[in-house]
Structure formats: structure tokens, C-alpha cells
Amino acid sequence: MNTFQRLSATLLAAGALLAIAAAPRPALADVSISIGVNAWNEPPPPFPAYSQPMIPGPGYIWTPGYWAVNHQGYYWVPGAWVLPPFVGALWTPGYWAYAGNAYRWHPGYWGRQVGYYGGINYGFGYIGTGYHGGYWKRDRFYYNREVNNINVTRITNVYSRKVVVKHDDHRRVSYHGGKGGIQRGPTKHEIAVQREHDRRQAAREAERRRDAAHERQGRQQQEQRQRQEAQHRQQEQRQRQEAQRQQQEQRQRQEAQRQQQGQRQREAQHRQQEQRQRQEAQHRQQEQRQRQEAQRQQQQQQQQQARQRQQAEQRQQQVRQQQARQQQDMRRQQAQRETTRADRGSGGGRPGGGDHGGRGGRDR
């Protein structure tokens, strides 16, 4: 805030305190005390679009929302249903107006008639002049259903009257005068009402502003809590993501280990298979060698048997030859004997032949 704003805020606050100290004390519900910043070098924002809440009960009068200001800037004070401080009281809304190179706040007030509120269209019956949301009839207030959110089953003192806004401002301008502001000035009747009315605000209005300021502070605290919660959620999310990443890395490591273990197992199985194959090959080679050895031994045995048979056959043949030689010798010997006898027999004509003949006869 610049020097002009701080000076304006200080002078206005001091003036408000002096006025309150000098004025007689009214009833609590009939007075609104506004102490704080009520001048700013920028215009208030346009009115926000909002809905009127349901009336809480009979006798309440709608007081529209408005922009208030503190050392941080403008903040919105929501509208509210308020019990009037006395029978026949009507609310004149406060308004912002450009004057003296600044925008100054003119507070609202309760009175018998509605005064000037800058020609600003607050809606809900406050169309820039007067109040078209209801009227007093003796000690009861009657509500216009066209501009108020009324539950007719609970409140029966109602009527319907169409409210026509001659100069409806769709820009929702929230201030009087200055650049772009409402330019309609007060009528004679509004000037008279403004002179007569008690300019002291009701205590409820000050409470509303304080509550709005507290609400804004509460909103800021809530936003701070929300930011902290968001940061906490983000931190938790990062932690979850980090945990998920670590779990994923762990799963990947485990999967890599399983794959390596599987590879080692397959390699071991392959080695075992190769070893079995080598053993089987060695066993087959050994069996083949054994078969070959058996065949060799069998061949040797067969050869030995063949040699034995051949030797036996040779021996038999030798025996047969020997026997044949013996028989031949015997036959030669017999032939020789026969020859000898024959020679002896043919010698009978020679001397001594008779004897031979006689022996021959005896031999026969």
C-alpha cells in the first residue's frame, strides 16, 4: 500500500473512532461500526455470480454481498439474511464511489426508508434505486417471490411482482463514478433519506465484515493446509513412486537372478547331460571294447579250437598213416612170409624137397 492509502486508512479510522465516542450509544442491533481500510486506489472487481440462500424464517431481510478491503486488497463479503433492528427497518446497502483520486467506501445503514446506494444493481430487489424485494405492513414483512428465495410452506406473507431493471448492467459493475463506474446520482428523495438516516452502522454489519475477514483468513489457512496436504500427498506420491520404483527394481533384480539361476541350472543340466552323454559314450565304447575283446577271445578260442581240431586231425591222420604204414608193414611182412613160404614150397624137386613136402603135408 502506498503512502496515500495508509494515510487515508489512518484518518478514516481516527474519524470513525471520534464519531463513535461522540455519538450516543444505540441498541446493539442498530449500529454498525466500521474501522479499518475504506479507501483504495483501484476500483473493486465486478460482482460475482451467486445464488441467494433460502430464507431461514419469517421477519428476515436480505442484505446483499459486497466488496470489502483490507491492507491486502479487496475481499468478498457474502450476502446474508438478517433480522432488522426494529419493526419497519429497511436496509440501504453500502457502496464504493470514486472521489478524490481514490475509491471510498460508503457504509450501509438501517432506516425507515431506503436511501442512495450509488445506483448500483446488487440484485435480489436492490436494482439501483429503492428496494423491490418486499415491504412492511404493520408489524409483518411481505416478500416478493420474484426476487427472493422463499419457502411458501413456511412463510405465507408473500406476493409476486415482476421487477424490471431499466438499465440492466451485464458487466456487474460494483462501484459508482470513476472510469467505467455507475454514473447515476442521487434523487431528491434519496438525498433527503440520506440526510435523515442514522449513519451509524449496525453491530451485525461490523460482525459480518470481521467474520468475512476471519473467513478469508480461515480460507487462507485452509488453502495453506490444502497446500501442505497437497505437498504431503505429493511427497507420499513420490514416496509411493519411489517405493514402487524400488520394488520394480527389486523385482527386476529378482527376475534377473531367477534368469541367471535358471541359466546356471540349464548350464548345469547341459553339463550333466554332456557328462551323461560322455559316460554313455564311454560305456558304449567300453561295451564295444568288451564285445571286441569277447569277439577277439572267441576268435582266439575258435582259432585255438580250430588248431586243436587240426592238431587232432593231424594226430589222427598221423595215427591213420602210422596204422596204414603198420598195416602196409604187416602186409609186406605177410607177403614176405608168404613169399618165403612159397619159395620154400617150390624147392621140393631139389634135395630135401621131400622133407619139405612132408612138412608141407604136415603143415597142412
Side-chain angles (χ1 to χ4, degrees), residues 315-330:
R315 284 194 298 272
Q316 290 176 1
Q317 187 176 2
Q318 290 175 359
V319 170
R320 284 192 299 270
Q321 289 177 357
Q322 186 177 3
Q323 289 177 356
R325 284 194 300 271
Q326 289 176 359
Q327 289 176 0
Q328 288 177 359
D329 292 338
M330 289 175 64

Side-chain angles (χ1 to χ4, degrees), residues 71-128:
H71 295 283
Q72 297 178 354
Y74 289 103
Y75 63 93
W76 178 249
V77 180
W81 289 100
V82 179
L83 287 172
F86 54 89
V87 175
L90 297 173
W91 177 251
T92 299
Y95 65 97
W96 289 93
Y98 183 77
N101 297 326
Y103 292 88
R104 300 179 182 276
W105 174 248
H106 298 266
Y109 55 90
W110 291 100
R112 296 289 179 178
Q113 301 181 64
V114 177
Y116 180 68
Y117 49 92
I120 299 169
N121 183 7
Y122 284 94
F124 308 108
Y126 297 95
I127 63 174

Side-chain angles (χ1 to χ4, degrees), residues 193-356:
V193 172
Q194 191 171 6
R195 289 174 179 174
E196 293 175 359
H197 85 277
D198 183 5
R199 297 183 180 274
R200 293 169 297 176
Q201 298 181 11
R204 292 180 182 271
E205 177 63 15
E207 184 179 356
R208 283 175 56 195
R209 295 183 64 173
R210 288 194 299 271
D211 291 343
H214 293 161
E215 183 179 356
R216 182 181 182 184
Q217 184 179 3
R219 285 197 302 270
Q220 290 176 349
Q221 293 176 354
Q222 184 178 3
E223 290 175 356
Q224 184 177 1
R225 286 194 300 270
Q226 290 175 353
R227 286 193 298 270
Q228 291 176 352
E229 291 175 356
Q231 292 175 356
H232 182 66
R233 287 193 298 270
Q234 290 177 356
Q235 184 177 2
E236 288 182 347
Q237 185 177 2
R238 287 194 296 269
Q239 291 176 354
R240 286 194 298 270
Q241 290 177 353
E242 181 65 20
Q244 291 175 358
R245 186 184 63 79
Q246 292 178 356
Q247 290 177 358
Q248 185 176 1
E249 290 179 353
Q250 185 176 2
R251 286 194 297 270
Q252 291 176 353
R253 287 194 298 270
Q254 291 176 354
E255 182 65 23
Q257 291 176 357
R258 284 195 296 270
Q259 290 179 357
Q260 292 177 358
Q261 185 176 3
Q263 183 67 22
R264 288 194 294 270
Q265 289 177 355
R266 287 191 294 271
E267 291 176 355
Q269 291 175 358
H270 183 67
R271 288 193 297 271
Q272 291 176 0
Q273 185 177 0
E274 289 180 348
Q275 185 176 3
R276 284 195 300 270
Q277 290 176 354
R278 286 194 299 271
Q279 290 176 355
E280 290 175 356
Q282 292 174 358
H283 182 67
R284 286 194 298 269
Q285 290 176 359
Q286 185 177 2
E287 288 180 350
Q288 186 177 0
R289 285 194 297 270
Q290 290 176 355
R291 285 194 300 270
Q292 291 176 355
E293 181 67 20
Q295 290 176 359
R296 187 181 62 77
Q297 291 178 358
Q298 186 178 2
Q299 289 177 358
Q300 290 178 355
Q301 186 177 4
Q302 289 175 357
Q303 290 176 358
Q304 185 177 2
Q305 289 176 357
R307 285 193 299 270
Q308 290 176 357
R309 284 193 301 271
Q310 186 177 3
Q311 290 175 359
E313 289 176 354
Q314 289 177 357
R315 284 194 298 272
Q316 290 176 1
Q317 187 176 2
Q318 290 175 359
V319 170
R320 284 192 299 270
Q321 289 177 357
Q322 186 177 3
Q323 289 177 356
R325 284 194 300 271
Q326 289 176 359
Q327 289 176 0
Q328 288 177 359
D329 292 338
M330 289 175 64
R331 282 193 297 270
R332 280 194 304 270
Q333 291 174 4
Q334 185 176 1
Q336 289 175 359
R337 283 193 299 271
E338 288 177 355
T339 302
T340 301
R341 282 195 301 270
D343 291 339
R344 290 176 180 174
S346 62
R350 296 188 305 261
D355 292 335
H356 288 290

